[in-house]
Amino acid sequence: MLALILCGCEKEGFINSPDALLQIGVDTLRFDTVFTSKGSVTRRFTLVNENNQKLRIDRIRLFGGNASAFALNINGQPLPEANGLELAAQDSLYIFVRVTINPDAQNQPFVVRDSIEINFNGNNRLVQLQAYGQNARFVNGGTLTGNTIWDANLPYVILRPLTIAAGASLTIEKGSRIYFNANAPLIVNGSLQCLGEAGNADRIRFRSDRLDAPNSEFPGGWPGVIFNDGSTGNLLRYTEISNAFQGILCAGQANAVPAKLILEQTVIENAFDLGLFALNSSVIARNCRITQCGNDGQAGIGGSNVILTGGGQYVFEHCTIATYANFYQNHRQPVLYVGNNFNGASNPLNARFTNSIVWGQGGIPENEILINRTAGPAFIVLLQNVLYKNKDALQNVTEQTVIRNTDPLFDSINTNLRRYNFRLRTGSPAIDAGQTTSLLSDLDGNSRTVGTRPDLGAYELR
């Protein structure tokens, strides 16, 4: 009986050996870009006592102390140092680390570092802290009037809904980065001109302001861009719109000349509900990629990469429209919906798709194109040199030189890692399958005159 009591006491006591096992969840805790003066980002890691006895942690401290850009929260207490913590056998302790980047004169990104020291049983262990911070210009919503120009010297962070007034314009210069808060759409009643260029550094990028993992990969991080009825003269060139709830909503001006919205070498990707929604409007899209968009939705309302509804005038040349189902995009609706009726109102429709790829995989749809025609108004849908996936033959569509249900052989698709390269690989049926057009370059800015004829989709295989 005495032996049992002694064993029990020993097990309940503290382990004092320097060989005691303490599992520290990370050796370096990294924070992605944090915009100065915007606020803070919090991450966490754990300490796990892997011993069969209690472990006393003598000290946990932040080397930078109160002057550090980082702050600790240990056992629910916000403080730079904690002493004499007891950790039960096989138990764990959460340490939360918050970083706030203070304003700085530098225009370029900079790195802020500190470290956490953990002392136990004569051991000193370190967890390195690293944050990547950047100054920015903060726009607290409101309305832009007159003609406004944004340059690329500093990123813009939009904190609340921002409206371009009727008759006003916003011109965004090449290389600009625009980051949006979760409740901050860009609403265009006037005109938006995004003048990016082909080089990676010269493209214009719209995305959520949450750049910390894993939030940076989530779709639906900000509402998207809305072109209201009265808006005209919009151009997005070499522009990328990422991880919005709805990438672009565009309504009205079906007979605008030129089109209400022109997309050139533009990418819409990783949108939660839909990529492009056009309601009785006019859109020209050339060398564009609209990929990895859509969840449940309702046909013609949400869940698709592209929805053209209620009539309108549309031209898509050398576009790649595709979604592969993954954890974020369950792909329950066709990637492309075309119809002339919305909420009981039917209007003339003219939609032309040339040298394009329309593809989906891993989701529910067996038909990746859904055509919905209401009799009465003029209804023209043309697929010319288009590779697409559909179990059933399309109705109310004119087809010329199409490729149906043949895998386009994109360069590389990995849904588990959410890595998508929609360029073509050798052997793709889309190579040299297009007709000659006036477009001389692809989405990468590369020449379209590589083979005997241009390739289908947004990219030309070099």
Side-chain angles (χ1 to χ4, degrees):
M1 183 68 174
L2 179 61
L4 290 175
I5 292 174
L6 289 175
C7 289
C9 291
E10 182 179 357
K11 186 172 183 180
E12 289 299 320
F14 287 92
I15 183 169
N16 297 312
S17 169
D19 296 325
L21 300 176
L22 177 65
Q23 182 189 97
I24 301 177
V26 294
D27 56 9
T28 300
L29 195 63
R30 292 184 173 87
F31 297 76
D32 291 319
T33 301
V34 180
F35 293 109
T36 61
S37 77
K38 175 182 178 295
S40 61
V41 172
T42 300
R43 298 198 66 187
R44 71 181 187 184
F45 66 96
T46 56
L47 304 181
V48 180
N49 177 10
E50 297 184 320
N51 307 282
N52 291 324
Q53 293 175 269
K54 292 191 291 184
L55 177 68
R56 179 177 286 108
I57 301 176
D58 300 306
R59 181 170 65 176
I60 301 175
R61 75 180 179 104
L62 187 63
F63 266 107
N66 291 323
S68 177
F70 299 90
L72 301 183
N73 187 301
I74 305 168
N75 268 352
Q77 297 295 319
L79 69 179
E81 181 175 328
N83 299 284
L85 298 176
E86 296 183 5
L87 193 55
Q90 304 298 323
D91 200 0
S92 60
L93 169 69
Y94 283 101
I95 298 178
F96 293 85
V97 184
R98 185 182 76 251
V99 60
T100 302
I101 306 297
N102 293 320
D104 190 277
Q106 300 179 64
N107 286 355
Q108 298 301 314
F110 57 94
V111 179
V112 176
R113 294 185 176 92
D114 204 340
S115 56
I116 300 171
E117 181 185 34
I118 302 169
N119 303 127
F120 66 97
N121 293 0
N123 296 298
N124 289 328
R125 302 277 292 277
L126 294 178
V127 173
Q128 303 297 330
L129 305 176
Q130 178 177 299
Y132 190 54
Q134 185 172 32
N135 276 330
R137 288 169 283 203
F138 295 88
V139 181
N140 195 25
T143 301
L144 299 178
T145 59
N147 299 323
T148 304
I149 297 176
W150 286 0
D151 60 41
N153 290 335
L154 285 174
Y156 289 82
V157 180
I158 315 303
L159 301 177
R160 296 187 180 184
L162 179 65
T163 300
I164 303 172
S169 67
L170 171 61
T171 300
I172 302 178
E173 295 182 345
K174 66 179 183 179
S176 297
R177 304 290 183 264
I178 320 296
Y179 299 93
F180 294 84
N181 190 262
N183 298 312
L186 176 60
I187 303 167
V188 185
N189 294 324
S191 174
L192 175 65
Q193 299 277 311
C194 295
L195 307 180
E197 295 183 3
N200 186 60
D202 292 331
R203 294 172 185 257
I204 294 169
R205 292 183 169 89
F206 289 48
R207 60 164 301 126
S208 164
D209 64 357
R210 291 300 303 270
L211 303 183
D212 53 304
N215 294 288
S216 59
E217 294 189 0
F218 291 163
W222 62 288
V225 183
I226 302 170
F227 296 93
N228 279 329
D229 287 2
S231 172
T232 58
N234 300 291
L235 170 64
L236 276 62
R237 177 182 295 145
Y238 285 109
T239 299
E240 297 180 3
I241 298 175
S242 303
N243 72 320
F245 182 74
Q246 297 170 325
I248 291 178
L249 302 181
C250 184
Q253 304 291 328
N255 298 312
V257 180
K260 174 190 179 83
L261 174 62
I262 297 176
L263 305 174
E264 296 179 350
Q265 278 89 358
T266 287
V267 173
I268 304 172
E269 63 182 356
N270 198 31
F272 181 84
D273 183 49
L274 54 87
L276 169 64
F277 180 95
L279 172 60
N280 192 28
S281 192
S282 52
V283 178
I284 296 174
R286 301 187 178 104
N287 287 318
C288 293
R289 172 165 64 82
I290 305 174
T291 53
Q292 294 309 119
C293 302
N295 277 275
D296 294 335
Q298 181 179 342
I301 296 177
S304 297
N305 295 47
V306 176
I307 295 176
L308 311 176
T309 188
Q313 306 282 332
Y314 308 103
V315 174
F316 287 75
E317 295 182 78
H318 281 294
C319 292
T320 298
I321 302 169
T323 288
Y324 286 71
N326 62 30
F327 183 76
Y328 295 146
Q329 284 98 12
N330 58 31
H331 183 39
R332 292 179 177 270
Q333 295 295 333
V335 297
L336 174 61
Y337 175 98
V338 182
N340 66 340
N341 183 286
F342 187 80
N343 281 346
S346 298
N347 298 287
L349 172 75
N350 189 332
R352 177 166 60 88
F353 299 84
T354 305
N355 292 353
S356 294
I357 298 173
V358 181
W359 194 262
Q361 198 159 305
I364 289 178
E366 294 181 317
N367 297 308
E368 294 295 352
I369 300 177
L370 177 58
I371 306 296
N372 189 355
R373 178 182 184 182
T374 299
F379 190 96
I380 299 173
V381 178
L382 171 65
L383 302 184
Q384 192 170 31
N385 297 78
V386 173
L387 185 156
Y388 71 94
K389 181 180 179 182
N390 248 56
K391 176 184 177 183
D392 302 320
L394 291 172
Q395 304 296 320
N396 299 306
V397 172
T398 299
E399 297 184 349
Q400 297 177 3
T401 322
V402 300
I403 303 172
R404 181 176 156 197
N405 297 330
T406 301
D407 194 318
L409 298 182
F410 293 122
D411 182 277
S412 54
I413 303 293
N414 188 320
T415 56
N416 290 328
L417 296 177
R418 299 184 297 280
R419 300 291 180 263
Y420 305 94
N421 185 341
F422 288 98
R423 295 169 181 84
L424 304 175
R425 67 174 185 256
T426 302
S428 168
I431 295 173
D432 292 346
Q435 63 170 335
T436 302
T437 70
S438 60
L439 301 183
L440 300 179
S441 60
D442 70 353
L443 179 54
D444 284 333
N446 297 324
S447 173
R448 283 281 183 191
T449 60
V450 175
T452 57
R453 292 188 300 170
D455 300 342
L456 305 183
Y459 299 102
E460 190 79 14
L461 182 65
R462 303 187 70 184

